[in-house]
Amino acid sequence: MNKLLKKSLLWPLAAVAAIGFLSVGCSSNGEFGSSSDAAEKVYVAPGEHDEFYGFFSGGYNGQLGVYGLPSGRHIYTIPVFSQTPTNGYGYSEETKSMLQTTDGFVPWGDAHHPELSQTDGETDGRWVFMNENNTPRVARVGLDEFKTQEIIEIPNSAGNHASSFVTPNTEYVSAATRFSIPMDEKNMENMDVSIDSYKENFKGTISFIKVSDKGKMNIDFQIMMPGFNYDLSHAGKGPSHGWSFFTSYNSEEANTMLEINASRNDKDYIAAINWEKAAEYAKQGKGKMMPGKHYRNYIDHEEGGVAKSEVIEKVRVLDPRKLEGIVYFLPTPKSPHGVDVDPTGQYIAAGGKLSTVIPVHSFAKMEEAIENKDFEGKEQGIPVLNYDSILHGEVENPGLGPLHTEFDGKGYAYTTAFISSEIVKWDIETAEVVDRIDVYYSPGHLMIPGGDSQNPDGKYLVALNKITKDRYLPTGPEMFHSAQLIDISGDKMKLLLDFPTEGEPHYAQAITADKVKERQKRFYEIDDNNHPRATKSEKEARVERDGNEVHVYMTTIRSHFAPDNIEGIKVGDEVYFHVTNLEQDWDVPHGFAVKGANTSELLIMPGETLTLKWEPKKPGVVPFYCTDFCSALHQEMQGYVRVSPENSDTPISYGTGE
Amino acid sequence: MDTKEKIWMAIAALMLIGVYFVPIWSISMDAPQYPEGIGMNITVDNIQGKQKNDLKNINGLNHYIGMKEINPNSIPELKVMPYIFGFLIISGLVIAGVGNEKWILFWLGIFVLLAIAGLVDFYIWGYDYGHNLDSSAPIVVPGMTYQPPLIGSKQLLNINATSLPHIGFYISLLSMGIASTVWWKSKKD
C-alpha cells in the first residue's frame, strides 16, 4: 500500500520534476550509463572477496539482504521478522517463539532501517539492528553467525518507523512511533474514540532501548510526545553526543487526507532529545511506570539454541512537560523526512521532502539558544527554538524532494532528491552544492559505508531507488528495486553499477569486511550443544513415546540419518523430530523434510539441533530425506516412517542399517 | 671425552625432550572443496588434526572409500614411542656421564636403526590403511589404493596428499648430528 502510494505519487510529480530540472539548471553530469572504467572498479575476481559487507533491509519481505560491495553480489539473506523456508526460521520449534508478540504469532514484518552497532562512534561489526514498522519491533542480528538473536517488541507504539538508530557506543537503540494513536494518559491504552478527536486524544511515543555488552535489549524509558507522525532519527556524536534527533511531520495533527492536510504548515519539527538527561531521570526513578505489555524473544546458542520469550508488563514513561530539558523542537521546513548528523557531530541536516532547500542546523547554536531560552514559543508544553537562531545554513538548489543525507568524512554531504531522481553533493561548511548525478529512479535512502558514523569509509555510495523500470530485463509489473553503486572517491561522482535488491530495501549500512569475517562461526561445537533434546552421537539416537507425543532423537552425518527406519507412529500423534547435525566441518548443513509436514524443512547447521513438528494424518509409509545437497551420496540420505491407524498397537521401533 | 664434549653429548640427549612437544611427521591433504586445507600431525604418542576436527572430517571422507577409521588409541606404536625416546635420552645422558666415546657410536647405531624401523613401520601402517579397504564401501574404484606417500606428494582421487617430516624429526636429526660430531672430535683427541 505504502509502495502503491509512492508510485502513484510519482506520476503527477513527473511534470513537477521536469520543471524542477529546468529551474535547477544543469542538473547532472549528463551521464546516462556508467563511466568507462566502471567494470574494472567493481570487478571482484572469482574466489576473491569484496571489500565491504552491505546490509540491506528487505522492506516488506521482513528480511535482511547481505550484499558484497563493490561487486553488488547478493551473498546471503538473514530472516528476521518473516518465516523463511530456506532454513525453517519461524517454522522450527526452536525459532517459532522469535515471532511471538502481544498480537500473537506475527510471521511477517516490514523492515526498514538496519543499523550497525558502534563503539566510539565507529561501526564495530558486533551486531546489526533492524526495526519492524507494522508490528513495532526491533531485532538484533549477531554478525558472528548472521542470525537473528533477539527481537523486542515496542509497546505503546503504532508503527515503528524512526528506528533502529544507535548512539555512538550502542548505549541505546532508539525507536519512535510513525503513527500517533489515541492513548489515555493513565494507562496508555489505545482508546475507542472518534478518529476526528485526534487533537484531544492522539499521542506518540519515543522509546530508548538499552543494549547490554552481551546484546540484551530492554526498554529503559519512553517519552510521551505530541500526536505527530515521527519519521526518522539519528543520534548526535562528538559535541552532540548525548542527544538524538527525530523528524516529525503532521504537526497539523490532521487525521484524513494527510497528503494535503499534513502539508499545510510551513515548518514542522525536529525533536531534539537529550537522552543522556532522560536516562538520568529514568535512573532516578522519575516518570511513571505505565502499562506497556511487550515481548522479548531471544535465542542463544550457548544456552541451547531454543528461543525463549518473556513478557514484560510495564515500561517507564517520561513526560517532557514535567521533566524539563529533555525535549526541544527545532522548526524545520517542510515535512522533514530524514535527519542526519555529520561525522563531526556539529551539524544536523534535514531532508524537507516538500522543501526547496536543505536546512542545516548548528548544534552549537542550538545549545546556545537553549541556554538563552531563545524560544519562539511552546508546542504542547515543549519549547520551540527560533529557526533563525539555530540555522547553520540552507543548501540552495538541492534537487526536488530532498530526503536523506550521508557523509564521506571529507567534509561533504550527499543528499537524495526523490522527485528529481538525483544525488546532490554539497559542502557542509559552505552549504553549497558542488556536484550532482542522476540516479534511476527516485532514490529514497542512500548509504556510504560508515556514512552515519564518526569515521565513514567515503569510497562508495549506494543509492537505494524505488523505481527500477528499464534498468534490467522486465519481470512483469513488479520488479526488484534497484541499487546503484557510485564512486565518490574523486571530485565527481561516477556511476559504477546497477544491481537488483530483494524486497523493497529502505536503508542499508555497510562495513569493511575485515571487521566481520575473521570472527565468523564456521560450525557449532557439538560438545557445547546445550539443546535439551540434542543427540550427540549415533549411539544415543532413539525414539520415545510420551502419550500421543513421539520424540525422535535423530542424528545426521554425511550421508545418512540415524535412525532411518521408524515404526510405531500412529495417526493423531504429535511427532517431534529433534535432528542434530553431527558434522564439525564448515558449510556442511543437513536438511530434513518429511512428506506432508505442514511447516517447512529444517536446515541444521553443523553441531546444531533443530526440531520439526509433524502430525501424520493418514496411515502408510512416509519418506523423509535430506534437502541440502551434502555429499556424493546425498540422494541416498533418506529414511521411512511407518504410520499406523490411531487404534493400532504397532510398537515403537527404530533402527539404522543391519 | 673432555668436559666440553660431555656437555655437548648431554645436550644431544636432552634436546630429544623437545620431541614430546612437537609433531614428528605431518600429512596434509589438498582438495578443491578444502581450500583451507585439512590434515594431521603425528606426535610421539598421538595423531591430531591440524585443525580441531580435521581427524574426524578425514575419517568422514575415508568412510566413502572404505578406509579404516584412524583411531590413535588403537595404534600400538603410539604407546611405545614415548618409551623409545625416553630410553634414548637416559642412555645418552649416561654416556655423557661416563664419557666413553665408543658408546656414542652404539647409541647412534641404535638411534639410526630405530629411526629406520620407525619409517618402515610407518610405511607398513600406510600400506595397511591404503590397501585393506572395506569391500562394501560406497566408492570402489577398481585397482585403486589409497596409500599415502612415505615422503612427498601423491594424488589420491581428488585429494593431493603430502607427507613430510615435522619439527620433531629435525630435532632428532640435529641430536644425531651433535652426537656424531662429539664422537668424531673425541676420537681424534
Side-chain angles (χ1 to χ4, degrees):
Chain A
M1 192 61 208
N2 188 16
K3 194 172 140 199
L4 271 177
L5 269 175
K6 277 181 194 155
K7 282 198 175 172
S8 52
L9 242 180
L10 199 85
W11 293 113
L13 287 174
V16 183
I19 298 162
F21 266 106
L22 292 174
S23 61
V24 162
C26 174
S27 100
S28 74
N29 51 19
E31 282 175 4
F32 284 90
S34 60
S35 58
S36 59
D37 58 349
E40 213 174 291
K41 287 189 167 161
V42 302
Y43 184 68
V44 177
E48 282 181 15
H49 291 177
D50 276 291
E51 192 181 347
F52 296 97
Y53 280 102
F55 299 95
F56 290 57
S57 74
Y60 39 63
N61 79 10
Q63 301 171 332
L64 184 64
V66 186
Y67 292 78
L69 297 175
S71 73
R73 295 192 283 215
H74 181 195
I75 44 184
Y76 196 59
T77 300
I78 306 169
V80 184
F81 299 110
S82 293
Q83 276 183 307
T84 304
T86 312
N87 58 8
Y89 175 83
Y91 291 101
S92 70
E93 297 304 301
E94 286 74 12
T95 55
K96 266 178 6 188
S97 304
M98 292 300 280
L99 304 179
Q100 203 51 245
T101 75
T102 50
D103 289 307
F105 180 71
V106 181
W108 167 85
D110 186 13
H112 277 241
H113 309 114
E115 180 90 349
L116 288 155
S117 57
Q118 295 187 10
T119 303
D120 296 329
E122 248 188 79
T123 56
D124 58 23
R126 288 182 292 167
W127 308 301
V128 54
F129 298 92
M130 191 160 71
N131 66 323
E132 203 271 273
N133 189 42
N134 187 57
T135 308
R137 289 177 276 184
V138 168
R140 177 176 55 79
V141 173
L143 293 183
D144 50 347
E145 49 177 13
F146 280 62
K147 282 188 177 172
T148 303
Q149 294 172 340
E150 188 173 1
I151 293 179
I152 192 165
E153 197 180 354
I154 313 294
N156 311 325
S157 171
N160 184 36
H161 193 274
S163 174
S164 47
F165 297 96
V166 305
T167 54
N169 289 301
T170 320
E171 296 98 334
Y172 285 101
V173 176
S174 59
T177 192
R178 170 173 166 188
F179 307 101
S180 285
I181 47 165
M183 251 192 284
D184 112 37
E185 288 194 26
K186 275 202 197 92
N187 58 20
M188 301 200 71
E189 224 155 74
N190 195 346
M191 299 184 290
D192 170 20
V193 293
S194 157
I195 298 169
D196 66 15
S197 72
Y198 194 106
K199 283 185 184 164
E200 299 105 81
N201 291 323
F202 283 49
K203 291 273 174 204
T205 57
I206 293 179
S207 309
F208 281 82
I209 305 162
K210 186 107 194 113
V211 184
S212 81
D213 288 344
K214 287 196 162 174
K216 186 191 166 185
M217 301 191 286
N218 73 285
I219 296 168
D220 197 25
F221 57 88
Q222 296 192 311
I223 299 174
M224 177 80 95
M225 297 291 288
F228 308 154
N229 292 41
Y230 297 89
D231 214 4
L232 272 162
S233 166
H234 265 104
K237 51 196 115 174
S240 53
H241 180 85
W243 290 78
S244 276
F245 304 92
F246 296 80
T247 46
S248 66
Y249 61 96
N250 195 20
S251 56
E252 298 85 350
E253 299 191 273
N255 58 281
T256 179
M257 280 296 281
L258 263 60
E259 177 186 13
I260 293 159
N261 294 327
S263 304
R264 297 213 160 123
N265 287 352
D266 194 35
K267 294 194 175 62
D268 292 279
Y269 303 112
I270 288 175
I273 294 189
N274 188 337
W275 60 259
E276 221 161 34
K277 194 168 222 174
E280 233 167 76
Y281 282 138
K283 214 173 166 187
Q284 291 162 8
K286 298 268 168 68
K288 266 200 283 188
M289 290 308 286
M290 303 271 265
K293 191 173 172 180
H294 60 284
Y295 269 81
R296 182 176 89 91
N297 311 314
Y298 64 99
I299 192 162
D300 186 336
H301 265 280
E302 282 164 22
E303 287 181 17
V306 184
K308 292 176 190 146
S309 291
E310 60 183 52
V311 180
I312 300 147
E313 297 285 347
K314 292 197 164 199
V315 63
R316 180 172 301 281
V317 179
L318 307 181
D319 186 339
R321 293 166 301 187
K322 291 175 190 152
L323 297 168
E324 215 181 300
I326 57 173
V327 186
Y328 297 91
F329 280 135
L330 320 181
T332 304
K334 185 174 176 170
S335 300
H337 185 57
V339 53
D340 300 279
V341 183
D342 86 306
T344 69
Q346 300 177 73
Y347 303 114
I348 303 135
K353 53 187 187 277
L354 305 175
S355 165
T356 52
V357 295
I358 300 171
V360 184
H361 298 303
S362 151
F363 180 73
K365 288 184 179 174
M366 181 193 107
E367 269 195 315
E368 206 183 307
I370 292 171
E371 181 93 4
N372 300 337
K373 298 205 171 353
D374 184 2
F375 302 143
E376 202 178 85
K378 280 198 170 185
E379 172 75 50
Q380 301 184 37
I382 293 168
V384 179
L385 300 175
N386 217 317
Y387 180 68
D388 296 322
S389 310
I390 58 172
L391 195 70
H392 162 67
E394 286 178 337
V395 182
E396 306 271 347
N397 282 335
L400 287 172
L403 291 186
H404 298 284
T405 301
E406 292 250 309
F407 306 91
D408 65 4
K410 294 174 255 180
Y412 296 105
Y414 301 74
T415 301
T416 49
F418 180 82
I419 300 170
S420 54
S421 284
E422 58 182 329
I423 286 171
V424 178
K425 175 180 176 181
W426 48 278
D427 184 306
I428 303 169
E429 277 305 326
T430 63
E432 273 169 9
V433 172
V434 295
D435 191 24
R436 50 213 312 152
I437 188 170
D438 288 338
V439 294
Y440 310 92
Y441 309 87
S442 303
H445 279 271
L446 75 172
M447 174 269 277
I448 292 171
D452 72 343
S453 75
Q454 279 173 270
N455 189 14
D457 291 293
K459 196 168 169 184
Y460 302 109
L461 180 157
V462 178
L464 294 153
N465 306 328
K466 298 298 181 198
I467 310 283
T468 303
K469 59 182 181 149
D470 96 356
R471 297 306 286 179
Y472 320 115
L473 287 172
T475 54
E478 171 67 324
M479 279 167 271
F480 276 164
H481 288 226
S482 85
Q484 293 188 301
L485 186 79
I486 292 164
D487 179 356
I488 55 165
S489 57
D491 288 342
K492 283 290 217 185
M493 290 181 274
K494 285 180 193 160
L495 177 60
L496 297 179
L497 182 72
D498 270 5
F499 59 97
T501 54
E502 227 181 313
E504 190 216 356
H506 290 262
Y507 188 38
Q509 290 225 312
I511 185 168
T512 45
D514 291 342
K515 285 188 186 171
V516 175
K517 69 179 181 188
E518 296 313 320
R519 301 190 305 139
Q520 278 316 283
K521 271 218 164 63
R522 296 185 165 198
F523 55 85
Y524 299 105
E525 296 284 350
I526 191 82
D527 296 337
D528 299 341
N529 181 330
N530 293 321
H531 191 287
R533 297 189 191 264
T535 313
K536 293 193 184 182
S537 75
E538 283 191 15
K539 276 175 259 157
E540 296 168 34
R542 65 200 185 277
V543 181
E544 286 171 1
R545 175 177 285 284
D546 176 12
N548 76 329
E549 275 184 22
V550 177
H551 294 273
V552 180
Y553 296 84
M554 184 180 269
T555 63
T556 63
I557 197 153
R558 280 163 290 181
S559 350
H560 62 272
F561 292 98
D564 66 3
N565 276 219
I566 299 166
E567 303 199 359
I569 308 285
K570 292 185 260 186
V571 171
D573 281 347
E574 284 182 2
V575 183
Y576 294 87
F577 293 97
H578 309 286
V579 188
T580 302
N581 180 348
L582 296 178
E583 305 280 355
Q584 293 286 275
D585 200 355
W586 193 16
D587 196 24
V588 191
H590 287 294
F592 177 80
V594 57
K595 182 176 178 285
N598 296 128
T599 54
S600 95
E601 52 123 32
L602 301 173
L603 191 69
I604 313 128
M605 296 304 122
E608 188 182 39
T609 304
L610 288 177
T611 303
L612 182 144
K613 183 181 173 183
W614 175 55
E615 292 168 277
K617 308 277 188 313
K618 46 197 178 213
V621 172
V622 177
F624 59 84
Y625 68 100
C626 170
T627 47
D628 184 82
F629 209 108
C630 58
S631 72
L633 297 166
H634 158 74
Q635 205 66 5
E636 284 76 1
M637 193 165 170
Q638 63 178 51
Y640 289 109
V641 188
R642 176 180 165 196
V643 182
S644 302
E646 200 163 359
N647 50 9
S648 65
D649 48 13
T650 318
I652 289 280
S653 71
Y654 52 91
T656 313
E658 287 109 49
Chain B
M1 281 168 82
D2 58 24
T3 313
K4 209 172 133 195
E5 284 159 355
K6 284 180 178 175
I7 290 171
W8 275 107
M9 184 57 207
I11 289 171
L14 287 172
M15 71 192 299
L16 290 176
I17 293 172
V19 174
Y20 290 86
F21 299 100
V22 289
I24 299 170
W25 210 270
S26 121
I27 298 178
S28 313
M29 292 149 78
D30 282 320
Q33 73 272 37
Y34 282 97
E36 67 274 31
I38 185 167
M40 52 194 174
N41 290 328
I42 300 163
T43 65
V44 72
D45 65 345
N46 202 0
I47 297 180
Q48 292 168 323
K50 284 185 188 276
Q51 312 237 343
K52 201 179 171 191
N53 299 311
D54 270 12
L55 197 59
K56 185 182 162 125
N57 293 329
I58 289 168
N59 282 331
L61 293 173
N62 286 351
H63 103 272
Y64 286 114
I65 51 170
M67 222 171 177
K68 270 189 293 186
E69 193 179 313
I70 300 170
N71 180 357
N73 294 327
S74 66
I75 299 172
E77 287 88 335
L78 296 172
K79 301 211 161 53
V80 177
M81 276 217 292
Y83 295 103
I84 291 177
F85 277 97
F87 164 74
L88 286 169
I89 293 165
I90 292 164
S91 58
L93 284 175
V94 169
I95 291 165
V98 174
N100 186 335
E101 77 265 16
K102 278 183 195 152
W103 289 18
I104 297 179
L105 208 56
F106 279 117
W107 188 79
L108 273 169
I110 290 167
F111 200 165
V112 170
L113 283 176
L114 283 169
I116 291 168
L119 287 173
V120 170
D121 183 67
F122 181 46
Y123 177 85
I124 294 169
W125 180 78
Y127 184 93
D128 177 52
Y129 270 86
H131 285 76
N132 285 331
L133 303 172
D134 184 348
S135 59
S136 68
I139 301 172
V140 177
V141 182
M144 183 73 194
T145 60
Y146 303 95
Q147 183 182 358
L150 184 64
I151 191 161
S153 290
K154 191 173 165 190
Q155 187 73 26
L156 300 166
L157 297 185
N158 64 327
I159 290 169
N160 186 35
T162 303
S163 172
L164 288 173
H166 212 289
I167 302 171
F169 186 86
Y170 296 113
I171 289 176
S172 304
L173 275 188
L174 192 61
S175 167
M176 284 183 196
I178 291 169
S180 313
T181 314
V182 172
W183 171 73
W184 184 252
K185 289 235 169 160
S186 56
K187 197 186 74 168
K188 277 203 288 191
D189 292 340

